[in-house]
Amino acid sequence: MAMRTAHSRFASCLAVASLGLATALTAGCTTVQAPSAAQAGQAAPTVQSVSIAMADGTAGALLFTPAGTGPWPAVLLFGDASGLRPAFADIGRELAARGYVVLVPNEFYRSVALDGSAATAAPALPASETFQRGQQWRALATDDAVMADSRAYIAWLDSQASVDHAARAGAVGYDIGAAHAFLAARALPARIGVVAAAHPSAIATTRDNSPHLFVAQSQAAYLVQLAAPDDEREPEDKTDLRNAFSAAGLDATVSVVPAAHGFAVADQAGYDAAASHAFLEETAGLLDAILK
């Protein structure tokens, strides 16, 4: 996809500066350069803290925009049950460096206000407390709510001059965010062209609302990377997913990664740098093939 006219930045913002896993929010309306997540030889993407008016309230989010002249395809990035935080800001920056406008929303805005600055995952809290808190946050993020939110996020992105709204968009999800990415593709079948899921949770269950049962309502290409311990615990999931994609006639790759759950998120105990990098490389390759 050829680069086209110069675009204006979203002006009403808080500038966000991030270094590693420590992100500081600074009041003001100046867009600053995010540090070195850009590919070699490229300027770093810019990052802004934005607020999006939703039917059920206001969702905070981080918006990453590539350096240079757009517009660019959009990507929704859904995090895990510990919510919007610096680890996902880092992932958003990496995807933006590859030529995508990336929105990382607080998908639990109905339950908690998160701006991406706090380290909300373990070891900030004991794992048991993190799990219980995540269950509480997720209670209001029902399937219908997440699908409505996805439509609102894409509509907001399409209002930005930096976004190529004629191109298809991507949805990338980690852990429970993978289920949200599946729901986004179901909610916006003509718009979401790629779904990528790292160590997913709750995408192939025995419940009648399991996301894998509805993939025929989407028109996306799928990349699913299961963590080895999850596959050992639920070995039939990969088969259920493959069968669902095949029956729907969708292009999909479902694989098992020899790494722990959380392998793709830097603040998780199971983080595996090589596996995380490999997931991002495969995700970027699929996004490039479908969206550009």
Side-chain angles (χ1 to χ4, degrees):
M1 180 180 301
M3 297 298 186
R4 293 197 274 276
T5 59
H7 65 282
S8 61
R9 303 290 181 190
F10 185 86
S12 177
C13 68
L14 293 177
V16 181
S18 175
L19 179 60
L21 296 179
T23 299
L25 293 182
T26 305
C29 290
T30 304
T31 302
V32 297
Q33 291 290 338
S36 175
Q39 295 170 328
Q42 295 180 341
T46 57
V47 54
Q48 298 163 287
S49 179
V50 300
S51 297
I52 303 173
M54 312 290 280
D56 294 334
T58 300
L62 296 178
L63 179 71
F64 293 87
T65 306
T69 301
W72 298 273
V75 171
L76 291 177
L77 175 57
F78 295 107
D80 60 25
S82 289
L84 177 61
R85 60 187 191 277
F88 285 100
D90 291 341
I91 295 169
R93 184 177 301 109
E94 290 294 334
L95 288 171
R98 297 170 182 269
Y100 297 95
V101 177
V102 182
L103 185 71
V104 193
N106 171 20
E107 54 209 291
F108 307 118
Y109 69 91
R110 293 175 180 84
S111 301
V112 61
L114 298 173
D115 62 14
S117 64
T120 55
L125 286 176
S128 59
E129 291 184 31
T130 302
F131 178 79
Q132 183 178 17
R133 182 198 59 192
Q135 293 292 97
Q136 295 170 348
W137 288 358
R138 288 172 54 191
L140 297 180
T142 64
D143 290 359
D144 287 342
V146 172
M147 288 194 289
D149 289 349
S150 297
R151 296 185 190 102
Y153 296 144
I154 290 294
W156 186 88
L157 281 164
D158 283 346
S159 74
Q160 307 304 303
S162 57
V163 171
D164 183 356
H165 50 80
R168 302 190 76 187
V172 180
Y174 295 71
D175 187 73
I176 194 60
H180 295 176
F182 273 57
L183 289 165
R186 178 181 169 191
L188 295 151
R191 192 74 169 83
I192 301 297
V194 170
V195 172
H199 43 82
S201 292
I203 62 169
T205 73
T206 58
R207 297 189 295 271
D208 59 7
N209 68 334
S210 179
H212 81 287
L213 300 176
F214 300 92
V215 295
Q217 295 180 16
S218 73
Q219 300 172 24
Y222 286 77
L223 170 66
V224 179
Q225 293 193 357
L226 304 164
D230 298 337
D231 178 62
E232 291 170 4
R233 186 179 63 254
E234 302 287 351
E236 68 278 5
D237 282 4
K238 59 184 176 294
T239 301
D240 291 343
L241 286 162
R242 289 167 180 158
N243 288 343
F245 292 133
S246 178
L250 297 171
D251 290 333
T253 299
V254 179
S255 61
V256 177
V257 175
H261 187 88
F263 66 78
V265 183
D267 64 1
Q268 295 297 287
Y271 177 64
D272 183 306
S276 178
H277 177 74
F279 174 74
L280 276 178
E281 287 294 316
E282 287 197 49
T283 296
L286 187 58
L287 292 169
D288 290 350
I290 303 294
L291 308 187
K292 291 185 176 180

